[in-house]
Amino acid sequence: MKVEANNLMSRLAFTKAQAASLDAAKTTLNSTSGKPSPLGVSKLDGAVNFALFSEHATNVTLCLYINISDPTKPGEPTAEIVLDPQKNKTGNVWHVCVQDIPLKGVLYGYRVDGPKGWDKGHRFDNTKVLIDPYAKYVDGRRTFGDHTKKNTPFLGAYDLTSEKFNWGDSYKLPAIPENDLVIYEMNVRAFTADESSGVDPRKRGSYLGLIEKIPHLVELGVNAVELLPIFEFDEFEFQRMKNPRDHLINTWGYSTINFFAPMTRYGSNSEGPIRASLELKQMVKALHDANIEVILDVVYNHTNESDDKTPYVTSFRGIDNLVYYIVDVNSYVQLSNYSGCGNSFNCNHPQVMELVLASLRHWVTEYHIDGFRFDLASSLCRDTNGAPLSSPPLIKAMAHDPILSRCKLIAEPWDCGGLYQVGGFPNWDRWAEWNGMYRDDLRRFIKGDPGMKSALATRLSGSADLYHNHNRRPYHGINFIVAHDGFTLYDLVAYNSKHNEANGEQGRDGSNDNFSWNCGAEGETDDAGVNALRNRQLRNFHLALMLSQGTPMMLMGDEYGHTRYGNNNSYGHDTFLNNFQWKKLEEKKNNLFRFFSEAIKFRRHHPLLGRDCFLSNRDITWHEDNWGNHDSRFLAFTLHATTSKPCGDLYAAFNAHTYFVKTVLPRPPDGKRWFRVVDTNLPSPADFVSEGVEGVEESYNIAPFSSILLLAKP
């Protein structure tokens, strides 16, 4: 009772202090009780309505920063409005309508107080000004990586005056069928941040910078970009206190501050959040005009607010920790950590679920986003206590949401708590999945591991063992060999081991199970034989990816052989390790890039590749009668022209032996002959000739660690 009385006295004293602060404020504001809906900031009868959800708060104060000349130095609030729970609270929503303030250019946040029982799961701190979870913009530091503004606070912002973005009279969404997608995973900043991009310094690493390089994407042939996180995040999060990683800058962005606001520092010329939002729309429109879809990599499994050992209170934790995070009050470490980042967002709590859905709808309606890839999506399949759910409410709601109905939904079907759901992610025949088994099986076969032939056949034909159930299709499996985390494709064939010393964690971070092979030398080498083998392996991997049924995804930079010099966890390097090297691209334009581009375009235009149904026995013939031979590292097959669209049969063979394999070719269809499209053992440009080269005999001698593709033509 004494503790409760002290808490009550403390809250009363704080309320009086707030009132005194308001009386002394430079700006006197009139306000009414306002409305509880919609959450966030909205226009109400010419005034500005603010609404904030907090179930456990006992005091809420709206902090306003009006006519601030420098958002990196907001100082003390211009005005603080203490909300009266009798007048300004409906259910669990605190609200107020403020008259006579601008409809644009105001920064705002909340001080929130409540029970102080750490052991009860609360983390209220009324000294912090917190970001509104529904803020549509976040302002603060405006230049990426500006160390002079490293400690700048982040605040919400709004714009209730600007006209709707003009998407254009002839504008239309690409609406690319899922089975036709070729996805390019990329980082907005890293794409043009390097000086070699030739982009104006004011636009490097920005949405506008990406627009200038769309011709490269078109030439490559991809028709969807999957953008690493572009929600507002703090690139200096590792530098808040002394630690082994305090030299790093978060360049991947997997540390969300707010789920509605675009990354301000991806705007050009440091002009702030409103301008960055406009430029993001310009980027999406430009990509759509080039018939390229935009998929966002989104992080709803955790936020930037870390753990209880190194807490970073910016929003959710201080507004209502018990609601927004999975908390186990019976554990000493109360915040559950299925994300590996210190906290787990409580996505299946009704209020949090509605926040996530509102965020996704906002990106679709406001920014015309075409799809979402959900980081550690299995974490979103846990209940409010962290237990796995067979029918997670949030995942189901997304599958059936009418606004999200046109969107691609892609799960990374695992989390850091051991919930591995590849092939079994709750899907309602809507969700696609990153196929981690495809990645591992392809890596192992191409590098020559024994006993992988059957696995390769399964993955090439669409992973029916994982996805051929109910009404799922091959395209529900996202095939990839490398992604942002892990080795690049070049490093996969150049390193046996990770080399992460620069990360500051003494090599403990990053995956140890890479299934990589350096082809005879670790890292860079002048050995011509090793380099020739690596070049074949790069082509072998890419050809296999483009011939596989299912949706292919490649990594930015693989088209020229980007290297991170063996670092398989480069999240904290805003340097050449991650930045696209445009001079290297030019060096490889007529060989490796050409091969990658030709393979992508061949896949997109040939009806036998990228089917929307699983293969039947009449669609494919496996030229194999000894599946149980553990030592066999050779596989060949023919795809037959059984589609309604006229085309020729395709014959493909992969040889991962250390010696030549002379194989007898199947007889082509009547009236046709085999033409060589691909032989990865040949020099460029003979390695890929899309129309085919005649003169193929009845047998073909396939070189060690190489692959071929033949096309049946008259």
Side-chain angles (χ1 to χ4, degrees):
M1 292 293 294
K2 184 177 180 181
V3 173
E4 292 181 2
N6 288 338
N7 285 340
L8 178 61
M9 293 297 293
S10 175
R11 290 195 296 271
L12 289 173
F14 178 67
T15 301
K16 291 179 180 179
Q18 287 177 310
S21 174
L22 178 60
D23 290 340
K26 296 179 181 179
T27 303
T28 301
L29 300 174
N30 295 316
S31 65
T32 61
S33 60
K35 294 185 177 181
S37 179
L39 291 172
V41 176
S42 58
K43 197 172 179 180
L44 180 61
D45 299 328
V48 183
N49 192 75
F50 298 83
L52 176 77
F53 175 93
S54 181
E55 179 180 342
H56 297 100
T58 55
N59 289 285
V60 173
T61 300
L62 173 65
C63 301
L64 298 170
Y65 302 77
I66 305 171
N67 297 324
I68 300 299
S69 59
D70 184 356
T72 67
K73 298 177 181 179
E76 291 299 310
T78 308
E80 297 191 19
I81 301 176
V82 179
L83 305 191
D84 183 343
Q86 301 301 316
K87 299 178 181 179
N88 301 102
K89 186 181 180 188
T90 303
N92 292 318
V93 178
W94 301 73
H95 47 84
V96 63
C97 186
V98 185
Q99 282 84 33
D100 305 322
I101 64 170
L103 299 180
K104 179 181 179 180
V106 174
L107 304 184
Y108 76 102
Y110 293 94
R111 298 188 195 273
V112 183
D113 200 10
K116 294 296 192 293
W118 186 95
D119 58 322
K120 303 298 183 183
H122 298 298
R123 301 293 184 271
F124 292 106
D125 183 350
N126 53 33
T127 67
K128 306 284 187 181
V129 178
L130 305 170
I131 303 167
D132 176 8
Y134 279 79
K136 301 305 185 293
Y137 309 98
V138 171
D139 207 348
R141 188 186 321 117
R142 291 187 169 187
T143 302
F144 193 95
D146 183 356
H147 281 83
T148 67
K149 307 294 183 181
K150 185 162 56 176
N151 297 317
T152 296
F154 293 102
L155 294 165
Y158 61 83
D159 177 9
L160 303 176
T161 63
S162 296
E163 296 180 0
K164 288 288 185 180
F165 180 75
N166 181 10
W167 292 91
D169 295 337
S170 60
Y171 166 83
K172 63 179 181 179
L173 297 168
I176 298 170
E178 287 178 278
N179 60 297
D180 289 336
L181 284 181
V182 178
I183 300 173
Y184 185 80
E185 191 196 30
M186 65 180 298
N187 181 311
V188 168
R189 174 167 170 76
F191 197 46
T192 62
D194 195 80
E195 183 180 0
S196 65
S197 68
V199 172
D200 185 307
R202 294 169 295 181
K203 295 181 181 179
R204 287 180 198 157
S206 73
Y207 304 121
L208 295 187
L210 190 150
I211 291 175
E212 293 191 20
K213 295 300 184 179
I214 289 176
H216 168 71
L217 301 175
V218 173
E219 185 180 5
L220 180 60
V222 297
N223 56 13
V225 291
E226 184 173 301
L227 305 179
L228 266 62
I230 63 166
F231 292 5
E232 187 71 34
F233 66 91
D234 182 4
E235 68 270 25
F236 284 124
E237 65 169 332
F238 309 127
Q239 302 188 23
R240 289 183 291 107
M241 59 189 68
K242 188 67 178 175
N243 69 88
R245 299 189 298 163
D246 59 13
H247 61 294
L248 299 179
I249 291 179
N250 184 346
T251 188
W252 284 359
Y254 290 88
S255 192
T256 308
I257 286 178
N258 175 279
F259 296 115
F260 292 84
M263 180 61 172
T264 296
R265 290 169 299 291
Y266 284 174
S268 69
N269 207 30
S270 306
E271 293 190 30
I274 310 301
R275 181 68 188 180
S277 171
L278 172 64
E279 292 178 359
L280 172 57
K281 292 172 185 175
Q282 292 172 339
M283 184 196 78
V284 173
K285 181 181 185 302
L287 285 164
H288 283 176
D289 288 344
N291 205 39
I292 296 174
E293 290 197 339
V294 181
I295 299 170
L296 300 187
D297 191 338
V298 291
V299 188
Y300 292 103
N301 61 80
H302 75 283
T303 75
N304 66 301
E305 294 190 305
S306 191
D307 53 23
D308 280 326
K309 183 179 179 181
T310 57
Y312 185 31
V313 181
T314 59
S315 182
F316 311 97
R317 181 193 293 264
I319 291 171
D320 205 327
N321 189 67
L322 270 178
V323 167
Y324 285 109
Y325 296 106
I326 299 178
V327 178
D328 181 0
V329 296
N330 296 314
S331 173
Y332 176 72
V333 180
Q334 293 187 355
L335 288 176
S336 298
N337 185 16
Y338 303 111
S339 65
C341 297
N343 61 70
S344 297
F345 214 51
N346 194 14
C347 288
N348 287 299
H349 182 287
Q351 184 61 39
V352 183
M353 182 174 77
E354 185 50 44
L355 169 74
V356 174
L357 290 170
S359 164
L360 293 168
R361 294 173 190 136
H362 176 70
W363 289 100
V364 173
T365 57
E366 187 71 16
Y367 295 97
H368 291 200
I369 298 304
D370 303 289
F372 302 92
R373 177 266 187 188
F374 293 81
D375 180 64
L376 298 180
S378 291
S379 181
L380 280 55
C381 297
R382 296 179 181 273
D383 67 15
T384 55
N385 295 313
L389 294 163
S390 60
S391 182
L394 175 61
I395 302 300
K396 182 178 181 180
M398 283 191 254
H400 296 300
D401 189 89
I403 293 177
L404 303 181
S405 61
R406 72 167 181 82
C407 294
K408 280 78 174 176
L409 300 177
I410 303 171
E412 183 183 32
W414 51 81
D415 66 16
C416 293
L419 189 55
Y420 187 80
Q421 297 177 299
V422 173
F425 189 83
N427 57 80
W428 289 274
D429 297 326
R430 275 275 285 124
W431 282 80
E433 304 173 13
W434 268 26
N435 189 347
M437 294 182 69
Y438 179 96
R439 172 198 61 204
D440 296 345
D441 290 345
L442 263 290
R443 288 184 178 193
R444 294 186 63 191
F445 181 92
I446 297 296
K447 81 183 186 74
D449 281 1
M452 297 304 299
K453 181 165 58 178
S454 293
L456 176 68
T458 300
R459 302 300 158 232
L460 289 172
S461 55
S463 297
D465 61 326
L466 302 175
Y467 305 115
H468 196 186
N469 54 68
H470 302 289
N471 290 315
R472 301 193 87 183
R473 303 300 179 94
Y475 54 71
H476 285 125
I478 307 298
N479 297 330
F480 68 104
I481 297 164
V482 296
H484 64 276
D485 52 346
F487 282 145
T488 65
L489 195 63
Y490 176 83
D491 288 356
L492 189 67
V493 302
Y495 292 89
N496 283 348
S497 304
K498 64 184 182 182
H499 296 268
N500 296 359
E501 294 77 14
N503 297 355
E505 299 185 56
Q506 299 179 323
R508 293 188 297 268
D509 64 309
S511 174
N512 295 315
D513 301 320
N514 297 294
F515 302 120
S516 62
W517 177 42
N518 64 19
C519 297
E522 188 74 355
E524 298 303 298
T525 179
D526 293 327
D527 189 309
V530 170
N531 286 326
L533 176 54
R534 289 177 179 174
N535 283 327
R536 292 204 303 277
Q537 291 290 71
L538 291 172
R539 289 162 170 79
N540 293 335
F541 274 122
H542 188 65
L543 179 65
L545 181 63
M546 292 304 146
L547 291 183
S548 298
Q549 304 300 325
T551 302
M553 183 188 79
M554 65 171 291
L555 175 64
M556 178 186 85
D558 283 346
E559 65 268 37
Y560 66 82
H562 183 83
T563 180
R564 296 178 186 148
Y565 300 95
N567 191 322
N568 74 349
N569 194 29
S570 62
Y571 64 95
H573 297 281
D574 187 41
T575 66
F576 62 89
L577 283 183
N578 286 305
N579 292 344
F580 195 100
Q581 301 297 303
W582 292 91
K583 288 183 179 179
K584 291 291 184 182
L585 172 67
E586 288 305 312
E587 293 173 8
K588 298 296 181 69
K589 205 66 179 288
N590 295 323
N591 43 73
L592 188 62
F593 172 82
R594 178 187 170 278
F595 185 96
F596 271 56
S597 176
E598 292 287 349
I600 292 169
K601 292 169 183 175
F602 189 90
R603 176 194 172 85
R604 288 182 57 186
H605 294 129
H606 201 287
L608 299 186
L609 304 175
R611 298 189 182 191
D612 61 0
C613 293
F614 285 96
L615 300 175
S616 66
N617 290 335
R618 66 187 291 267
D619 298 321
I620 189 168
T621 296
W622 298 101
H623 304 296
E624 179 62 54
D625 55 10
N626 192 8
W627 290 102
N629 185 351
H630 187 75
D631 294 324
S632 175
R633 297 166 173 83
F634 180 86
L635 182 67
F637 63 94
T638 298
L639 289 172
H640 301 294
T642 55
T643 66
S644 59
K645 297 180 181 179
C647 62
D649 285 13
L650 294 175
Y651 172 90
F654 293 87
N655 178 21
H657 284 291
T658 58
Y659 50 81
F660 277 84
V661 172
K662 188 173 184 178
T663 184
V664 177
L665 300 176
R667 182 177 176 178
D670 291 343
K672 294 186 177 181
R673 296 171 292 156
W674 289 121
F675 284 68
R676 187 194 77 237
V677 176
V678 175
D679 185 337
T680 60
N681 188 51
L682 296 175
S684 183
D687 56 354
F688 202 118
V689 181
S690 57
E691 67 273 15
V693 176
E694 60 183 340
V696 177
E697 305 295 338
E698 294 181 354
S699 63
Y700 201 107
N701 204 19
I702 304 176
F705 295 106
S706 66
S707 48
I708 67 169
L709 175 64
L710 308 179
L711 171 64
K713 293 175 60 175

